[in-house]
Structures are given as structure tokens and as C-alpha cells.
Amino acid sequence: MVEVSTSILNVKKGEESATFFELEAAKTDYFHIDVMDGKFVEKDTYKKMFEYASYIKRISNLPLDVHLMVQDIDETIEEFLSLEPNIITFHLEACKDKKDVMKKIKHIKQNNCKVGIAIKPNTKIEEIYEFLPYIHMCLVMTVEPGKGGQTFLNEMVNKIDQLNKYIQEKNLETDIEVDGGINLKTAPEVKKAGANILVAGTAILMANRFEEIIKELKK
Ligand code: DX5
Ligand code: ZN
């Protein structure tokens, strides 16, 4: 089954209430919350994303899929745990070492939350292998993290395929999420390669009818 996680990064202030309402009616499976700190990536979306996520938490039963593009992961985890998200994903590149990665995984799980690890386009897929048995999801970035509306990097299809094969081979249950430049053109190839959660911001928010595009992406 393929699920859709709608990135609310570029939802304009003042339009959030109507947009979230409509996205829920259109059956998005998750709300994808892009937390940026101005350090790990240039932009700082921390306040806006915390505000939006808190609001969604109050008005919706749909799960929050929190993507942390931050350097100070531990501090941010604490804040976002207060919103009881379904899953918190942090970047492998922002961790000190392997011990640090395991510590973060354990901490999030101890707080009754699922864990994901994200990798940037230049990070080798092999680097995630040893953590796969302990996490729920691997987020393969299909653009450089930092902003919405970028072009999908075609080279990432092989990476997804390789990860999917490894997961099957090892009999793991890990979800594969893809994020960046996902639209009706790029969705078929990432699904074919094995991705089962598609993040989309621009493609959904710019569409005339959310319901139709979400349905198409899931097909
Ligand atoms: C990029 C973010 C993505 C992005 C998705 O750093 O992690 O979630 O906003 O947006 P689109 O679908 O526009 O690429
Ligand atoms: Zn994201």
C-alpha cells in the first residue's frame, strides 16, 4: 500500500485552517512537518512548523510525520514530542557517530513515538543498513533538503531500489519514504523502486483538487 504525506511547508499564513481542513477531507495519510533550523539548512521554519503542527494536533486525528532538518536534534525532539507525533525523522548527517544515532533512536521510542532516519542525496545507502532493524522508516531525500519546489533527482531511483532490495532480503519491515520533487510524473518510478510513503508539497498544494491528486499519487 502506498501512502501520501502532504508537506505543509509552503502553506501560507492565513490559509492554514482552510488548507488543513481540505487536506484531511482529501484523505492525506499524514501531515509532513518540515522543521528547519537555519543551521543544518539555510531556512528557519521552526516557529511556523511548531505552530502549524500544534494547530493540526488540535483539529485533526491524522498523524504527524515530523521531518527534522536540524543540527540540534535532541533539543528539537523534546519540543516536538510534546505534540505526540506518529513519527519523528532525523538526519543521519546531523549525528555525531553511530552511538549517538542509537541513543536518539532509543530516546524517541521510549517516548512512544516511531523513528525514522533521513539521508541526503550524497549519503550512501549502505550507511543506513545497520540501523534499519531498529527504525520504522528510512526517508530517502530526492532533492537537497532545504526548500520545497525543487526538481527530483533521477539518480535517487537506484538508491531506493537498492534499499528496497536490502530490506526484502533481510526480511525487514522498514517503510521507505521519499521526499522532494514528487509529482504525478516522478511518483510511478519511485513506487516501482519500492517507496511506500510519498511526501509531496508543491504537487498537492498547487493542484486544483487535492482529492484527485492524492488519489493519483497513491495508485
Ligand atoms: C525539502 C522538504 C520537503 C519539501 C517537499 O527540504 O523536506 O518536504 O518541502 O516539497 P516538494 O514536494 O515541493 O518538493
Ligand atoms: Zn520533508
Side-chain angles (χ1 to χ4, degrees):
M1 192 185 60
V2 174
E3 295 183 303
V4 168
S5 187
T6 306
S7 165
I8 58 161
L9 179 64
N10 287 332
V11 172
K12 289 192 198 77
K13 283 256 163 97
E15 288 175 11
E16 66 267 38
S17 167
T19 308
F20 300 157
F21 186 84
E22 221 186 297
L23 283 169
E24 185 167 35
K27 299 197 173 62
T28 184
D29 295 290
Y30 305 87
F31 286 101
H32 183 83
I33 315 294
D34 283 310
V35 186
M36 306 183 190
D37 63 350
K39 282 188 238 168
F40 184 74
V41 292
E42 220 177 286
K43 270 205 204 170
D44 185 347
T45 64
Y46 200 103
K47 258 188 80 186
K48 182 182 173 190
M49 287 300 115
F50 194 81
E51 223 180 276
Y52 279 11
S54 315
Y55 177 60
I56 290 170
K57 196 67 209 170
R58 293 195 298 273
I59 59 154
S60 174
N61 278 333
L62 286 180
L64 298 177
D65 163 27
V66 176
H67 176 193
L68 301 182
M69 285 162 276
V70 303
Q71 201 59 54
D72 303 321
I73 300 173
D74 296 340
E75 203 178 285
T76 320
I77 286 174
E78 282 323 305
E79 298 239 18
F80 278 85
L81 273 174
S82 71
L83 300 176
E84 297 174 3
N86 181 263
I87 184 157
I88 295 182
T89 299
F90 59 86
H91 268 269
L92 188 64
E93 299 86 0
C95 296
K96 280 190 223 76
D97 49 34
K98 290 176 180 181
K99 230 174 108 192
D100 187 37
V101 178
M102 283 311 295
K103 210 179 95 199
K104 290 175 180 20
I105 295 174
K106 276 192 197 135
H107 181 72
I108 296 173
K109 283 187 173 177
Q110 274 162 2
N111 282 279
N112 303 317
C113 183
K114 290 191 200 172
V115 187
I117 299 183
I119 51 169
K120 298 208 278 184
N122 286 330
T123 302
K124 288 215 167 58
I125 197 65
E126 288 84 0
E127 291 189 37
I128 198 79
Y129 286 174
E130 65 186 286
F131 305 112
L132 290 175
Y134 310 102
I135 63 177
H136 302 90
M137 181 175 95
C138 176
L139 193 175
V140 178
M141 289 301 304
T142 42
V143 300
E144 275 305 323
K147 52 177 188 280
Q150 302 181 76
T151 308
F152 177 81
L153 299 167
N154 274 310
E155 314 90 86
M156 295 303 115
V157 176
N158 272 338
K159 201 173 177 181
I160 300 161
D161 187 58
Q162 200 187 328
L163 174 63
N164 183 44
K165 285 194 174 124
Y166 183 85
I167 290 172
Q168 304 299 328
E169 199 185 292
K170 299 284 172 197
N171 251 318
L172 297 167
E173 305 275 334
T174 330
D175 288 322
I176 303 177
E177 182 171 67
V178 286
D179 184 7
I182 302 297
N183 53 39
L184 292 183
K185 242 174 141 175
T186 55
E189 42 184 340
V190 295
K191 285 188 278 188
K192 198 170 152 227
N196 68 319
I197 305 175
L198 310 188
V199 175
T202 310
I204 295 175
L205 297 175
M206 299 295 272
N208 286 328
R209 295 194 51 221
F210 292 168
E211 195 172 349
E212 231 162 77
I213 174 104
I214 291 174
K215 211 165 127 193
E216 284 295 314
L217 287 169
K218 283 194 209 180
K219 253 190 199 159

